[in-house]
mmCIF file of all heavy atoms in Angstrom:
data_model
loop_
_atom_site.group_PDB
_atom_site.id
_atom_site.type_symbol
_atom_site.label_atom_id
_atom_site.label_comp_id
_atom_site.label_asym_id
_atom_site.label_seq_id
_atom_site.Cartn_x
_atom_site.Cartn_y
_atom_site.Cartn_z
ATOM 1 N N GLY C 1 172.669 163.695 -76.395
ATOM 2 C CA GLY C 1 173.388 164.033 -75.068
ATOM 3 C C GLY C 1 174.544 163.054 -74.993
ATOM 4 O O GLY C 1 174.853 162.291 -75.828
ATOM 5 N N PRO C 2 175.167 163.027 -73.866
ATOM 6 C CA PRO C 2 176.397 162.183 -73.658
ATOM 7 C C PRO C 2 176.004 160.747 -73.269
ATOM 8 O O PRO C 2 176.961 159.879 -73.096
ATOM 9 C CB PRO C 2 177.134 162.886 -72.558
ATOM 10 C CG PRO C 2 175.989 163.503 -71.737
ATOM 11 C CD PRO C 2 175.017 164.022 -72.753
ATOM 12 N N GLY C 3 174.728 160.419 -73.106
ATOM 13 C CA GLY C 3 174.435 159.088 -72.740
ATOM 14 C C GLY C 3 174.091 158.871 -71.348
ATOM 15 O O GLY C 3 173.976 157.681 -70.838
ATOM 16 N N TYR C 4 173.866 159.941 -70.488
ATOM 17 C CA TYR C 4 173.557 159.783 -69.138
ATOM 18 C C TYR C 4 172.826 161.046 -68.708
ATOM 19 O O TYR C 4 172.781 162.026 -69.339
ATOM 20 C CB TYR C 4 174.809 159.654 -68.219
ATOM 21 C CG TYR C 4 175.809 160.754 -68.400
ATOM 22 C CD1 TYR C 4 175.672 161.977 -67.697
ATOM 23 C CD2 TYR C 4 176.867 160.615 -69.167
ATOM 24 C CE1 TYR C 4 176.574 163.012 -67.770
ATOM 25 C CE2 TYR C 4 177.820 161.580 -69.291
ATOM 26 C CZ TYR C 4 177.665 162.799 -68.555
ATOM 27 O OH TYR C 4 178.640 163.869 -68.631
ATOM 28 N N THR C 5 172.076 160.938 -67.485
ATOM 29 C CA THR C 5 171.427 162.150 -66.958
ATOM 30 C C THR C 5 172.089 162.496 -65.613
ATOM 31 O O THR C 5 172.970 161.723 -65.087
ATOM 32 C CB THR C 5 170.010 161.828 -66.775
ATOM 33 O OG1 THR C 5 169.788 160.678 -65.880
ATOM 34 C CG2 THR C 5 169.268 161.537 -68.080
ATOM 35 N N ILE C 6 171.671 163.556 -64.994
ATOM 36 C CA ILE C 6 172.166 164.058 -63.745
ATOM 37 C C ILE C 6 171.021 164.238 -62.726
ATOM 38 O O ILE C 6 169.988 164.765 -63.173
ATOM 39 C CB ILE C 6 172.974 165.348 -63.933
ATOM 40 C CG1 ILE C 6 173.871 165.476 -65.055
ATOM 41 C CG2 ILE C 6 173.645 165.720 -62.654
ATOM 42 C CD1 ILE C 6 174.356 166.730 -65.477
ATOM 43 N N PRO C 7 171.214 163.679 -61.580
ATOM 44 C CA PRO C 7 170.060 163.931 -60.514
ATOM 45 C C PRO C 7 169.857 165.383 -60.239
ATOM 46 O O PRO C 7 170.712 166.224 -60.313
ATOM 47 C CB PRO C 7 170.718 163.311 -59.306
ATOM 48 C CG PRO C 7 171.683 162.276 -59.780
ATOM 49 C CD PRO C 7 172.316 162.916 -61.013
ATOM 50 N N ALA C 8 168.523 165.703 -60.129
ATOM 51 C CA ALA C 8 168.096 167.072 -60.037
ATOM 52 C C ALA C 8 168.687 167.769 -58.748
ATOM 53 O O ALA C 8 168.899 167.064 -57.669
ATOM 54 C CB ALA C 8 166.569 167.087 -59.832
ATOM 55 N N GLU C 9 169.020 169.043 -58.814
ATOM 56 C CA GLU C 9 169.557 169.758 -57.713
ATOM 57 C C GLU C 9 168.808 171.166 -57.829
ATOM 58 O O GLU C 9 169.284 172.168 -58.053
ATOM 59 C CB GLU C 9 171.051 170.054 -57.893
ATOM 60 C CG GLU C 9 171.930 168.699 -57.812
ATOM 61 C CD GLU C 9 173.376 168.980 -57.980
ATOM 62 O OE1 GLU C 9 173.751 169.422 -59.146
ATOM 63 O OE2 GLU C 9 174.142 168.881 -57.124
ATOM 64 N N ILE C 10 167.493 171.050 -57.485
ATOM 65 C CA ILE C 10 166.640 172.184 -57.718
ATOM 66 C C ILE C 10 166.674 173.005 -56.479
ATOM 67 O O ILE C 10 166.771 172.638 -55.371
ATOM 68 C CB ILE C 10 165.104 171.569 -57.849
ATOM 69 C CG1 ILE C 10 165.069 170.769 -59.239
ATOM 70 C CG2 ILE C 10 164.166 172.752 -57.901
ATOM 71 C CD1 ILE C 10 163.868 169.940 -59.371
ATOM 72 N N GLY C 11 166.593 174.356 -56.684
ATOM 73 C CA GLY C 11 166.595 175.262 -55.610
ATOM 74 C C GLY C 11 166.956 176.731 -55.997
ATOM 75 O O GLY C 11 166.333 177.637 -55.346
ATOM 76 N N GLN C 12 167.731 176.926 -57.028
ATOM 77 C CA GLN C 12 168.075 178.271 -57.446
ATOM 78 C C GLN C 12 166.986 178.782 -58.444
ATOM 79 O O GLN C 12 166.346 178.049 -59.135
ATOM 80 C CB GLN C 12 169.446 178.219 -58.113
ATOM 81 C CG GLN C 12 170.496 177.720 -57.250
ATOM 82 C CD GLN C 12 170.760 178.543 -55.910
ATOM 83 O OE1 GLN C 12 170.865 179.725 -55.921
ATOM 84 N NE2 GLN C 12 170.520 177.732 -54.817
ATOM 85 N N LYS C 13 166.812 180.047 -58.379
ATOM 86 C CA LYS C 13 165.746 180.706 -59.153
ATOM 87 C C LYS C 13 166.166 180.990 -60.615
ATOM 88 O O LYS C 13 167.333 181.214 -60.922
ATOM 89 C CB LYS C 13 165.202 182.017 -58.529
ATOM 90 C CG LYS C 13 164.566 181.799 -57.231
ATOM 91 C CD LYS C 13 164.035 183.082 -56.611
ATOM 92 C CE LYS C 13 163.373 182.881 -55.288
ATOM 93 N NZ LYS C 13 162.258 181.855 -55.464
ATOM 94 N N HIS C 14 165.204 180.975 -61.505
ATOM 95 C CA HIS C 14 165.372 181.252 -62.909
ATOM 96 C C HIS C 14 165.314 182.800 -63.060
ATOM 97 O O HIS C 14 164.224 183.337 -63.264
ATOM 98 C CB HIS C 14 164.321 180.651 -63.785
ATOM 99 C CG HIS C 14 164.583 179.175 -63.930
ATOM 100 N ND1 HIS C 14 164.296 178.110 -63.006
ATOM 101 C CD2 HIS C 14 165.011 178.449 -64.972
ATOM 102 C CE1 HIS C 14 164.578 176.972 -63.464
ATOM 103 N NE2 HIS C 14 165.041 177.083 -64.654
ATOM 104 N N LEU C 15 166.413 183.386 -63.104
ATOM 105 C CA LEU C 15 166.591 184.934 -63.260
ATOM 106 C C LEU C 15 167.156 185.135 -64.700
ATOM 107 O O LEU C 15 167.651 184.278 -65.307
ATOM 108 C CB LEU C 15 167.394 185.517 -62.223
ATOM 109 C CG LEU C 15 166.995 185.216 -60.730
ATOM 110 C CD1 LEU C 15 167.956 185.757 -59.759
ATOM 111 C CD2 LEU C 15 165.579 185.718 -60.443
ATOM 112 N N ARG C 16 167.058 186.346 -65.131
ATOM 113 C CA ARG C 16 167.761 186.831 -66.320
ATOM 114 C C ARG C 16 169.226 186.458 -66.261
ATOM 115 O O ARG C 16 169.822 186.793 -65.295
ATOM 116 C CB ARG C 16 167.552 188.230 -66.615
ATOM 117 C CG ARG C 16 168.442 188.716 -67.884
ATOM 118 C CD ARG C 16 167.955 190.219 -68.184
ATOM 119 N NE ARG C 16 168.982 190.834 -69.027
ATOM 120 C CZ ARG C 16 169.028 190.532 -70.386
ATOM 121 N NH1 ARG C 16 168.219 189.849 -71.021
ATOM 122 N NH2 ARG C 16 170.015 191.257 -71.012
ATOM 123 N N GLY C 17 169.684 185.647 -67.263
ATOM 124 C CA GLY C 17 171.091 185.277 -67.251
ATOM 125 C C GLY C 17 171.318 183.793 -66.526
ATOM 126 O O GLY C 17 172.542 183.407 -66.488
ATOM 127 N N SER C 18 170.298 183.336 -65.882
ATOM 128 C CA SER C 18 170.526 182.032 -65.266
ATOM 129 C C SER C 18 170.893 180.905 -66.281
ATOM 130 O O SER C 18 170.315 180.839 -67.357
ATOM 131 C CB SER C 18 169.252 181.572 -64.543
ATOM 132 O OG SER C 18 169.040 182.409 -63.400
ATOM 133 N N LEU C 19 171.788 179.980 -65.909
ATOM 134 C CA LEU C 19 172.157 178.770 -66.679
ATOM 135 C C LEU C 19 171.551 177.693 -66.077
ATOM 136 O O LEU C 19 171.652 177.447 -64.830
ATOM 137 C CB LEU C 19 173.692 178.683 -66.706
ATOM 138 C CG LEU C 19 174.267 177.454 -67.266
ATOM 139 C CD1 LEU C 19 174.122 177.367 -68.811
ATOM 140 C CD2 LEU C 19 175.659 177.128 -66.761
ATOM 141 N N ALA C 20 170.728 176.937 -66.835
ATOM 142 C CA ALA C 20 170.050 175.856 -66.314
ATOM 143 C C ALA C 20 170.039 174.566 -67.190
ATOM 144 O O ALA C 20 170.396 174.673 -68.348
ATOM 145 C CB ALA C 20 168.549 176.218 -65.981
ATOM 146 N N ALA C 21 169.742 173.389 -66.594
ATOM 147 C CA ALA C 21 169.765 172.174 -67.386
ATOM 148 C C ALA C 21 168.416 171.809 -67.968
ATOM 149 O O ALA C 21 167.393 171.924 -67.330
ATOM 150 C CB ALA C 21 170.244 170.991 -66.395
ATOM 151 N N ALA C 22 168.407 171.472 -69.218
ATOM 152 C CA ALA C 22 167.241 170.989 -69.979
ATOM 153 C C ALA C 22 166.949 169.570 -69.395
ATOM 154 O O ALA C 22 167.801 168.900 -68.814
ATOM 155 C CB ALA C 22 167.353 171.058 -71.422
ATOM 156 N N ARG C 23 165.728 169.098 -69.619
ATOM 157 C CA ARG C 23 165.412 167.764 -69.198
ATOM 158 C C ARG C 23 164.155 167.313 -69.929
ATOM 159 O O ARG C 23 163.346 168.046 -70.558
ATOM 160 C CB ARG C 23 165.150 167.691 -67.683
ATOM 161 C CG ARG C 23 164.039 168.457 -67.090
ATOM 162 C CD ARG C 23 163.738 168.200 -65.676
ATOM 163 N NE ARG C 23 162.736 168.971 -65.033
ATOM 164 C CZ ARG C 23 161.440 168.684 -65.065
ATOM 165 N NH1 ARG C 23 160.950 167.538 -65.811
ATOM 166 N NH2 ARG C 23 160.438 169.406 -64.485
ATOM 167 N N LEU C 24 163.853 166.006 -69.803
ATOM 168 C CA LEU C 24 162.612 165.426 -70.368
ATOM 169 C C LEU C 24 161.404 165.773 -69.482
ATOM 170 O O LEU C 24 161.589 166.044 -68.256
ATOM 171 C CB LEU C 24 162.700 163.958 -70.487
ATOM 172 C CG LEU C 24 163.747 163.432 -71.549
ATOM 173 C CD1 LEU C 24 163.817 161.936 -71.465
ATOM 174 C CD2 LEU C 24 163.308 163.819 -72.943
ATOM 175 N N PRO C 25 160.151 165.762 -69.984
ATOM 176 C CA PRO C 25 159.122 166.163 -69.235
ATOM 177 C C PRO C 25 158.711 165.145 -67.940
ATOM 178 O O PRO C 25 159.232 164.060 -67.943
ATOM 179 C CB PRO C 25 157.919 166.021 -70.272
ATOM 180 C CG PRO C 25 158.581 166.128 -71.591
ATOM 181 C CD PRO C 25 159.821 165.546 -71.458
ATOM 182 N N ASP C 26 157.977 165.623 -67.042
ATOM 183 C CA ASP C 26 157.619 164.853 -65.832
ATOM 184 C C ASP C 26 157.070 163.585 -66.191
ATOM 185 O O ASP C 26 157.155 162.603 -65.418
ATOM 186 C CB ASP C 26 156.739 165.657 -64.906
ATOM 187 C CG ASP C 26 157.396 166.957 -64.345
ATOM 188 O OD1 ASP C 26 158.569 167.072 -64.566
ATOM 189 O OD2 ASP C 26 156.628 167.712 -63.676
ATOM 190 N N GLN C 27 156.181 163.564 -67.318
ATOM 191 C CA GLN C 27 155.496 162.245 -67.564
ATOM 192 C C GLN C 27 156.450 161.078 -67.732
ATOM 193 O O GLN C 27 156.145 159.958 -67.310
ATOM 194 C CB GLN C 27 154.675 162.384 -68.815
ATOM 195 C CG GLN C 27 153.545 163.429 -68.729
ATOM 196 C CD GLN C 27 153.915 164.840 -69.193
ATOM 197 O OE1 GLN C 27 155.083 165.344 -68.904
ATOM 198 N NE2 GLN C 27 153.148 165.520 -69.850
#
């Protein structure tokens, strides 16, 4: 990655065609 992360902005649904950010697991 570019060497940084982005704070979560959760709220939109995962529909066909949705663009979303990958991330590391909750653990």
Side-chain angles (χ1 to χ4, degrees):
Y4 58 81
T5 58
I6 310 168
E9 295 177 297
I10 298 166
Q12 302 304 301
K13 294 186 179 300
H14 284 77
L15 305 175
R16 173 171 163 80
S18 290
L19 171 75
R23 65 173 177 84
L24 293 175
D26 292 354
Q27 297 92 320

